[in-house]
Amino acid sequence: MTDHDLLPPIPDFDPRTTRRAVRRGVARTAITVLAALLVLVLAATVGSGLIQRRGDREERMTDVLGTAFKIYNPGYDIEVSNWGATTPLSMSFTVAARPVRAVGGFVEGYGGVEHVVTQDFFGHVGRLPLGHYAGTTLSTALMNVGTGNQPKEDSRKVLARLPAGLNALAVVEFAKPLTADELVAFTARNKSDAEKVVLERRPTSIPITWGGTTMWDRALMRGADDEPITSDLANFRRWVGILKDYDDDNLHDFDLSLARLRKAADDGLVYAYVDSLVTIGELRKVIEDPLVRTVRVADLAYDLERP
């Protein structure tokens, strides 16, 4: 007996069986590859999300970029949503913005129009909504601070031909910048409300402003007995204190810089302020204060509820 006699007989070639076997092999290979790809995609998505949210990165994004967006748009009341949408390549947060108007007027888009601010995987901010492309009468009035436009003599004439009972949104500019204590005394004397203060003179450009909704949302809440002006200035200084040198690139996209912000925080001087709770009659008195350079009216409204 030979070795050849001990081997089992070779079956006849069956094309149908062979094709089924090949198909099963291809299917198993495809399923294995797809499963591996799915695991890789999930790992990349979850992993990148965890990397992006590492430490306080997500919270700091809204602290820095959300607050910078408010300064970038002083003509809007802005609310920042303190949550982000994370993808493998970006993080984002939502803002609701509506133009600042004189109290009593009709506000377009009650609650605000929503916009999204995005930061990519490497921490760079994407293209920004609003800003220079969305000028308002208030932002124009703020850009005129320090230009000499609308001098006191012309503003007196404007105020004289308007009804005294109209509510106004106005920018009051000082002949020289005031300290926080001097501004407190000024507003008390003139019964004014410095809702938002201008912390630098930057003619023809949007200056650094603070107050109103332009605040660092996670700062300490103002106490009932706190003086709003000094409390808001302290809030601004605390926000500037969290900024790092590497934030400067993103700040430039908001038409800001660390150097300007730090100087404004160190100086603590007020060049002008915004008041949306004043009447034309009250502005006629404010403009006669020797500390005032001029008053610019940005909006008017009738108080429909006042008898």
Side-chain angles (χ1 to χ4, degrees):
M1 181 178 290
T2 65
D3 292 341
H4 179 73
D5 296 329
L6 297 174
L7 294 173
I10 298 175
D12 293 334
F13 176 74
D14 185 347
R16 182 177 299 176
T17 302
T18 301
R19 284 194 296 270
R20 283 199 299 266
V22 170
R23 283 196 295 267
R24 286 196 298 269
V26 171
R28 282 196 297 268
T29 301
I31 291 171
T32 301
V33 171
L34 289 174
L37 289 174
L38 180 60
V39 170
L40 288 174
V41 169
L42 288 174
T45 302
V46 175
S48 64
L50 291 174
I51 290 172
Q52 293 198 76
R53 291 191 298 269
R54 65 190 182 276
D56 64 347
R57 193 167 184 264
E58 186 175 23
E59 194 172 70
R60 193 173 189 279
M61 176 182 67
T62 54
D63 282 349
V64 176
L65 303 187
T67 307
F69 187 82
K70 293 178 179 183
I71 300 174
Y72 185 52
N73 292 287
Y76 289 82
D77 283 326
I78 294 173
E79 180 183 356
V80 177
S81 297
N82 290 317
W83 51 268
T86 303
T87 72
L89 298 177
S90 68
M91 297 169 60
S92 64
F93 60 91
T94 303
V95 299
R98 60 190 179 97
V100 179
R101 300 291 305 274
V103 171
F106 296 99
V107 179
E108 181 181 356
Y110 183 79
V113 177
E114 289 193 342
H115 302 276
V116 176
V117 179
T118 302
Q119 175 180 287
D120 68 20
F121 186 83
F122 301 102
H124 301 140
V125 68
R127 185 179 181 279
L128 294 169
L130 301 179
H132 294 303
Y133 305 101
T136 66
T137 52
L138 177 55
S139 61
T140 300
L142 290 169
M143 291 170 67
N144 273 320
V145 171
T147 62
N149 295 337
Q150 295 172 278
K152 181 178 282 193
E153 295 76 13
D154 291 349
S155 292
R156 280 197 189 102
K157 295 175 183 177
V158 171
L159 295 174
R161 61 185 174 84
L162 293 171
L166 276 179
N167 288 345
L169 170 67
V171 176
V172 178
E173 181 182 351
F174 296 115
K176 67 177 185 66
L178 304 186
T179 64
D181 290 340
E182 289 171 337
L183 180 58
V184 170
F186 175 91
T187 54
R189 183 170 66 250
N190 289 282
K191 297 180 175 58
S192 298
D193 181 21
E195 181 179 337
K196 181 178 294 190
V197 295
V198 180
L199 297 173
E200 65 173 352
R201 181 177 286 124
R202 196 177 179 226
T204 73
S205 297
I206 293 176
I208 295 169
T209 59
W210 196 261
T213 64
T214 308
M215 300 284 280
W216 177 25
D217 292 329
R218 290 197 311 111
L220 297 174
M221 294 295 292
R222 182 194 298 161
D225 297 328
D226 290 345
E227 164 54 50
I229 292 170
T230 53
S231 178
D232 289 353
L233 180 58
N235 176 277
F236 173 67
R237 285 171 167 159
R238 282 193 293 268
W239 178 71
V240 173
I242 74 169
L243 301 177
K244 307 296 183 185
D245 289 345
Y246 59 75
D247 291 317
D248 203 34
D249 284 343
N250 277 341
L251 289 171
H252 279 285
D253 290 326
F254 294 89
D255 193 30
L256 295 168
S257 72
L258 273 175
R260 284 172 50 215
L261 289 166
R262 288 170 175 168
K263 183 179 188 305
D266 290 341
D267 292 348
L269 297 176
V270 177
Y271 294 80
Y273 70 89
V274 177
D275 192 345
S276 65
L277 297 170
V278 68
T279 65
I280 291 298
E282 291 166 339
L283 286 176
R284 290 174 185 167
K285 298 175 183 177
V286 169
I287 200 171
E288 299 307 326
D289 192 298
L291 297 180
V292 173
R293 171 171 288 169
T294 192
V295 170
R296 297 181 177 88
V297 177
D299 189 37
L300 296 167
Y302 282 103
D303 187 344
L304 300 179
E305 296 182 356
R306 188 169 60 204

